[in-house]
Amino acid sequence: MMLCPRCDSKTVELMTKAPVDDAWEVYLCNTCCFSWRSTEGDEIKDPEKYDKRFKINPAEVS
Amino acid sequence: MTFKDLREFLAILEEEGQLIRIEDEVMPEPDLSAIGRAAPDMENGPGVFINKVKGYKYSVVLNVHGSWQNHALMLGLPKETSVKEQFFALDKAWSAYPIKPVWVENAPVKEVKITGGINLFEVLPLFRVNKYDGGFYISKALIVSQDPDDPDNFEKQNAGTYRLQVKGKDLLGILPLPFHDIAIHLKKAEERNQPLPIAICLGNDPVLNFMSSTPIEYFQSEYDFAGAIKGEPIELTKSEVGNLDIPARSEIVLEGYIIPKERKIEGPFGEFPGSYSGARLMPEVRIHTITHRINPIFENLYLGIPWTEIDYLMALNTCIPLYRQLKRDFPEVVAVNAIYTHGMGVIVSTKSRLGGYGKAVAMRLLSTPHGMPYSKIVIIVDEFVDPFNLQQVMWALTTRVRVDKDVVTIPYCPGMPLDPSSEPAGMHTKLIIDATTPVAPDHCRETELIEIPEKTDFWMNYLKNLRQRKGGTNDAMSQM
Ligand SMILES: [Zn+2]
């Protein structure tokens, strides 16, 4: 199962595929609204590697 | 040379050697933001047209405003025009306000209409602007909205630039800053629990983006100002829904509405002070219609640690309103340089009418609508110092300032929350440095300035001509 790299929630959905060439997909977290592209680096896509300074606990956002 | 839209302006940039075309296919990340960072760092920073982005149908253009050369061409001036001369040219054009727009039939932006199955990615080559942004951002939009109490009032219609985060195929997050016009419109709509119709215009005449980044008054129209700067009316047409006035020659217009009384997480986003904003609960926009030109060009903006394109886009347009507001009561003011981080740093040159005049000018600046929250560091120099020439300003600081009486701080004033030094966010301590020569009843030690030798102008021209004939070297000196 795919987790949101930023808030670790399971509410991840496919937002869209590339309009041309099936070049990539874009995913969206329905909890914290983070989105990312499949062609980005692991430090963006992997919850373990996402920079801790930018991790979000959605309950704390006002 | 004149231009009516982005395409015509790009042709001018190309002719002037101020546009580079990339034909190789690039990746959306990290290539597009890297190009956006590199272009303004180049000498005479060019616009960059990227023909093919992996996975997308259409092209991207970056850094259209990102140098003083491109900025001069936008104002219809020779590209080597100095910043100070651009300031005075812009001030002169300002006086032509208002030049009313015209409404046209068969607007190019209506060439293609999409009213169902909206997917922003089909039309826009979206990309992450900075690495830790919360998503892909539309950072160079002109966003049109109307006052719900007075929808037919053309002047109260607002065309502003606000960042937009892509949150779905047809969904965007929006950041309407509380002291901006669209926030007034949204508040009124939400009081009635009504959606606020907006039109998001992309790939515009560069003068329109310039004006939508300008702090003008609530009852003034950005379109009328853009007309004044161009010396001819802007061509407008009506949105498909909501009766909004939109530029007829934009590349792409996204029509939708701000959903009332709902807030979702938006951000962070790398912002103009050179650091990331936080993530906050902000309104969202549902897109229901897209109209665009055939083969639309997606213009977006990279912003990073200054200077990048945004620093040119909100430079002289920040100066002119401040200059005019000061000039009204302090006619001795010669020029205002507020090009540093959206006017957080300001240098004013003025003749002193009486002792302490420099400080009075500074205090007026800090109580103008823009200066009050934004301006933090204010330097006042004599009327013969060019405030756009930092070498001259440093001379004034080093030889005119008596630190014990000329440096003043005012704690706990209104501030700009996006300034990371604003603590608590929204509070500033202001700094005034009066670097003017004291006049009576203030006094200083007797010194006499060295005069400029006779015939200096003659020899300046002589040397310039000689150099041009020899090497054909470009004499455009950046005055930053
Ligand atoms: Zn998340």
mmCIF file of all heavy atoms in Angstrom, chain B residues 1-10 12 72-76 204-208 230 232 249:
data_model
loop_
_atom_site.group_PDB
_atom_site.id
_atom_site.type_symbol
_atom_site.label_atom_id
_atom_site.label_comp_id
_atom_site.label_asym_id
_atom_site.label_seq_id
_atom_site.Cartn_x
_atom_site.Cartn_y
_atom_site.Cartn_z
ATOM 1 N N MET B 1 8.424 49.141 -32.200
ATOM 2 C CA MET B 1 8.082 47.769 -31.826
ATOM 3 C C MET B 1 6.994 47.771 -30.768
ATOM 4 O O MET B 1 7.156 48.358 -29.718
ATOM 5 C CB MET B 1 9.316 47.068 -31.249
ATOM 6 C CG MET B 1 10.055 46.269 -32.274
ATOM 7 S SD MET B 1 11.339 45.275 -31.514
ATOM 8 C CE MET B 1 12.132 46.446 -30.402
ATOM 9 N N THR B 2 5.901 47.139 -31.079
ATOM 10 C CA THR B 2 4.857 47.026 -30.062
ATOM 11 C C THR B 2 4.399 45.575 -29.994
ATOM 12 O O THR B 2 4.676 44.784 -30.889
ATOM 13 C CB THR B 2 3.646 47.915 -30.398
ATOM 14 O OG1 THR B 2 3.186 47.548 -31.697
ATOM 15 C CG2 THR B 2 4.015 49.381 -30.363
ATOM 16 N N PHE B 3 3.698 45.273 -28.912
ATOM 17 C CA PHE B 3 3.199 43.914 -28.743
ATOM 18 C C PHE B 3 1.849 43.989 -28.074
ATOM 19 O O PHE B 3 1.564 44.925 -27.319
ATOM 20 C CB PHE B 3 4.170 43.073 -27.908
ATOM 21 C CG PHE B 3 4.473 43.689 -26.567
ATOM 22 C CD1 PHE B 3 3.708 43.366 -25.455
ATOM 23 C CD2 PHE B 3 5.503 44.602 -26.405
ATOM 24 C CE1 PHE B 3 3.972 43.931 -24.218
ATOM 25 C CE2 PHE B 3 5.773 45.177 -25.162
ATOM 26 C CZ PHE B 3 5.007 44.844 -24.073
ATOM 27 N N LYS B 4 0.998 42.993 -28.387
ATOM 28 C CA LYS B 4 -0.342 42.981 -27.817
ATOM 29 C C LYS B 4 -0.569 41.792 -26.910
ATOM 30 O O LYS B 4 -1.599 41.698 -26.251
ATOM 31 C CB LYS B 4 -1.374 42.927 -28.951
ATOM 32 C CG LYS B 4 -1.601 44.262 -29.617
ATOM 33 C CD LYS B 4 -2.758 44.164 -30.569
ATOM 34 C CE LYS B 4 -3.439 45.510 -30.697
ATOM 35 N NZ LYS B 4 -4.593 45.448 -31.574
ATOM 36 N N ASP B 5 0.352 40.844 -26.928
ATOM 37 C CA ASP B 5 0.155 39.659 -26.103
ATOM 38 C C ASP B 5 1.498 38.989 -25.866
ATOM 39 O O ASP B 5 2.543 39.473 -26.322
ATOM 40 C CB ASP B 5 -0.855 38.697 -26.753
ATOM 41 C CG ASP B 5 -0.450 38.274 -28.162
ATOM 42 O OD1 ASP B 5 0.764 38.327 -28.472
ATOM 43 O OD2 ASP B 5 -1.325 37.902 -28.951
ATOM 44 N N LEU B 6 1.464 37.877 -25.150
ATOM 45 C CA LEU B 6 2.706 37.181 -24.792
ATOM 46 C C LEU B 6 3.473 36.751 -26.045
ATOM 47 O O LEU B 6 4.694 36.919 -26.125
ATOM 48 C CB LEU B 6 2.377 35.955 -23.926
ATOM 49 C CG LEU B 6 3.587 35.102 -23.521
ATOM 50 C CD1 LEU B 6 4.546 35.877 -22.636
ATOM 51 C CD2 LEU B 6 3.132 33.824 -22.821
ATOM 52 N N ARG B 7 2.773 36.194 -27.037
ATOM 53 C CA ARG B 7 3.462 35.699 -28.234
ATOM 54 C C ARG B 7 4.229 36.810 -28.942
ATOM 55 O O ARG B 7 5.371 36.618 -29.372
ATOM 56 C CB ARG B 7 2.452 35.079 -29.209
ATOM 57 C CG ARG B 7 1.888 33.797 -28.681
ATOM 58 C CD ARG B 7 0.791 33.242 -29.559
ATOM 59 N NE ARG B 7 0.174 32.132 -28.822
ATOM 60 C CZ ARG B 7 -0.295 31.029 -29.383
ATOM 61 N NH1 ARG B 7 -0.249 30.867 -30.690
ATOM 62 N NH2 ARG B 7 -0.825 30.080 -28.642
ATOM 63 N N GLU B 8 3.571 37.943 -29.074
ATOM 64 C CA GLU B 8 4.248 39.053 -29.750
ATOM 65 C C GLU B 8 5.434 39.559 -28.932
ATOM 66 O O GLU B 8 6.446 39.970 -29.481
ATOM 67 C CB GLU B 8 3.244 40.181 -30.032
ATOM 68 C CG GLU B 8 2.191 39.766 -31.054
ATOM 69 C CD GLU B 8 1.216 40.886 -31.398
ATOM 70 O OE1 GLU B 8 1.422 42.049 -30.979
ATOM 71 O OE2 GLU B 8 0.227 40.585 -32.102
ATOM 72 N N PHE B 9 5.293 39.519 -27.610
ATOM 73 C CA PHE B 9 6.417 39.953 -26.765
ATOM 74 C C PHE B 9 7.586 38.975 -26.866
ATOM 75 O O PHE B 9 8.750 39.390 -26.918
ATOM 76 C CB PHE B 9 5.968 40.114 -25.306
ATOM 77 C CG PHE B 9 7.041 40.712 -24.431
ATOM 78 C CD1 PHE B 9 7.513 42.000 -24.654
ATOM 79 C CD2 PHE B 9 7.613 39.985 -23.391
ATOM 80 C CE1 PHE B 9 8.519 42.559 -23.866
ATOM 81 C CE2 PHE B 9 8.617 40.539 -22.590
ATOM 82 C CZ PHE B 9 9.072 41.825 -22.835
ATOM 83 N N LEU B 10 7.282 37.682 -26.901
ATOM 84 C CA LEU B 10 8.358 36.688 -27.039
ATOM 85 C C LEU B 10 9.124 36.913 -28.347
ATOM 86 O O LEU B 10 10.346 36.757 -28.404
ATOM 87 C CB LEU B 10 7.798 35.263 -26.986
ATOM 88 C CG LEU B 10 7.177 34.835 -25.644
ATOM 89 C CD1 LEU B 10 6.683 33.392 -25.723
ATOM 90 C CD2 LEU B 10 8.145 34.997 -24.483
ATOM 91 N N ILE B 12 9.620 39.760 -29.771
ATOM 92 C CA ILE B 12 10.510 40.914 -29.543
ATOM 93 C C ILE B 12 11.731 40.488 -28.738
ATOM 94 O O ILE B 12 12.868 40.834 -29.068
ATOM 95 C CB ILE B 12 9.731 42.047 -28.826
ATOM 96 C CG1 ILE B 12 8.731 42.664 -29.799
ATOM 97 C CG2 ILE B 12 10.696 43.108 -28.280
ATOM 98 C CD1 ILE B 12 7.796 43.670 -29.165
ATOM 99 N N ALA B 72 12.816 46.513 -19.467
ATOM 100 C CA ALA B 72 12.818 47.709 -20.316
ATOM 101 C C ALA B 72 12.019 47.457 -21.594
ATOM 102 O O ALA B 72 11.205 48.299 -22.006
ATOM 103 C CB ALA B 72 14.256 48.107 -20.660
ATOM 104 N N LEU B 73 12.213 46.290 -22.193
ATOM 105 C CA LEU B 73 11.480 45.970 -23.433
ATOM 106 C C LEU B 73 9.980 45.910 -23.155
ATOM 107 O O LEU B 73 9.168 46.347 -23.976
ATOM 108 C CB LEU B 73 11.986 44.653 -24.025
ATOM 109 C CG LEU B 73 13.432 44.700 -24.557
ATOM 110 C CD1 LEU B 73 13.937 43.285 -24.881
ATOM 111 C CD2 LEU B 73 13.542 45.595 -25.798
ATOM 112 N N MET B 74 9.603 45.406 -21.988
ATOM 113 C CA MET B 74 8.181 45.395 -21.616
ATOM 114 C C MET B 74 7.613 46.809 -21.568
ATOM 115 O O MET B 74 6.465 47.047 -21.933
ATOM 116 C CB MET B 74 8.005 44.726 -20.245
ATOM 117 C CG MET B 74 6.585 44.825 -19.704
ATOM 118 S SD MET B 74 6.462 44.373 -17.965
ATOM 119 C CE MET B 74 7.227 45.783 -17.185
ATOM 120 N N LEU B 75 8.437 47.760 -21.099
ATOM 121 C CA LEU B 75 7.977 49.152 -21.033
ATOM 122 C C LEU B 75 8.112 49.860 -22.376
ATOM 123 O O LEU B 75 7.860 51.068 -22.466
ATOM 124 C CB LEU B 75 8.770 49.915 -19.961
ATOM 125 C CG LEU B 75 8.575 49.461 -18.509
ATOM 126 C CD1 LEU B 75 9.473 50.261 -17.576
ATOM 127 C CD2 LEU B 75 7.109 49.592 -18.076
ATOM 128 N N GLY B 76 8.528 49.131 -23.406
ATOM 129 C CA GLY B 76 8.670 49.745 -24.733
ATOM 130 C C GLY B 76 9.912 50.605 -24.852
ATOM 131 O O GLY B 76 9.988 51.485 -25.709
ATOM 132 N N ASN B 204 -0.132 35.957 -20.247
ATOM 133 C CA ASN B 204 -0.747 37.245 -20.595
ATOM 134 C C ASN B 204 0.265 38.196 -21.217
ATOM 135 O O ASN B 204 1.479 37.978 -21.122
ATOM 136 C CB ASN B 204 -1.303 37.891 -19.331
ATOM 137 C CG ASN B 204 -2.159 36.934 -18.521
ATOM 138 O OD1 ASN B 204 -3.147 36.416 -19.022
ATOM 139 N ND2 ASN B 204 -1.761 36.659 -17.296
ATOM 140 N N ASP B 205 -0.258 39.268 -21.800
ATOM 141 C CA ASP B 205 0.580 40.419 -22.110
ATOM 142 C C ASP B 205 1.414 40.707 -20.853
ATOM 143 O O ASP B 205 0.862 40.835 -19.762
ATOM 144 C CB ASP B 205 -0.347 41.610 -22.439
ATOM 145 C CG ASP B 205 0.428 42.873 -22.829
ATOM 146 O OD1 ASP B 205 1.494 43.128 -22.236
ATOM 147 O OD2 ASP B 205 -0.058 43.597 -23.708
ATOM 148 N N PRO B 206 2.757 40.815 -20.969
ATOM 149 C CA PRO B 206 3.583 40.965 -19.761
ATOM 150 C C PRO B 206 3.226 42.193 -18.934
ATOM 151 O O PRO B 206 3.455 42.208 -17.712
ATOM 152 C CB PRO B 206 5.009 41.052 -20.303
ATOM 153 C CG PRO B 206 4.886 41.353 -21.748
ATOM 154 C CD PRO B 206 3.575 40.770 -22.188
ATOM 155 N N VAL B 207 2.657 43.209 -19.545
ATOM 156 C CA VAL B 207 2.250 44.400 -18.793
ATOM 157 C C VAL B 207 1.091 44.051 -17.836
ATOM 158 O O VAL B 207 0.985 44.611 -16.749
ATOM 159 C CB VAL B 207 1.858 45.549 -19.746
ATOM 160 C CG1 VAL B 207 1.235 46.704 -18.987
ATOM 161 C CG2 VAL B 207 3.090 46.029 -20.522
ATOM 162 N N LEU B 208 0.253 43.099 -18.227
ATOM 163 C CA LEU B 208 -0.852 42.702 -17.345
ATOM 164 C C LEU B 208 -0.336 42.010 -16.091
ATOM 165 O O LEU B 208 -0.815 42.264 -14.986
ATOM 166 C CB LEU B 208 -1.841 41.807 -18.101
ATOM 167 C CG LEU B 208 -2.720 42.534 -19.120
ATOM 168 C CD1 LEU B 208 -3.486 41.530 -19.972
ATOM 169 C CD2 LEU B 208 -3.696 43.467 -18.408
ATOM 170 N N LYS B 230 0.907 50.943 -21.592
ATOM 171 C CA LYS B 230 1.103 50.601 -23.003
ATOM 172 C C LYS B 230 0.812 51.775 -23.932
ATOM 173 O O LYS B 230 1.230 51.768 -25.080
ATOM 174 C CB LYS B 230 0.205 49.417 -23.385
ATOM 175 C CG LYS B 230 0.553 48.136 -22.660
ATOM 176 C CD LYS B 230 -0.286 46.970 -23.143
ATOM 177 C CE LYS B 230 0.147 46.467 -24.508
ATOM 178 N NZ LYS B 230 1.429 45.760 -24.461
ATOM 179 N N GLU B 232 -2.080 52.317 -25.042
ATOM 180 C CA GLU B 232 -3.226 51.912 -25.856
ATOM 181 C C GLU B 232 -4.074 50.936 -25.051
ATOM 182 O O GLU B 232 -3.570 50.289 -24.123
ATOM 183 C CB GLU B 232 -2.773 51.282 -27.178
ATOM 184 C CG GLU B 232 -1.957 50.017 -27.001
ATOM 185 C CD GLU B 232 -1.514 49.413 -28.329
ATOM 186 O OE1 GLU B 232 -1.625 50.069 -29.365
ATOM 187 O OE2 GLU B 232 -1.062 48.262 -28.294
ATOM 188 N N ARG B 249 -6.467 38.129 -25.258
ATOM 189 C CA ARG B 249 -5.337 37.523 -25.955
ATOM 190 C C ARG B 249 -4.455 36.681 -25.039
ATOM 191 O O ARG B 249 -3.322 36.363 -25.387
ATOM 192 C CB ARG B 249 -4.514 38.617 -26.631
ATOM 193 C CG ARG B 249 -5.351 39.525 -27.552
ATOM 194 C CD ARG B 249 -4.506 40.571 -28.246
ATOM 195 N NE ARG B 249 -3.584 39.982 -29.173
ATOM 196 C CZ ARG B 249 -3.855 39.701 -30.451
ATOM 197 N NH1 ARG B 249 -5.049 39.974 -30.943
ATOM 198 N NH2 ARG B 249 -2.964 39.143 -31.216
#
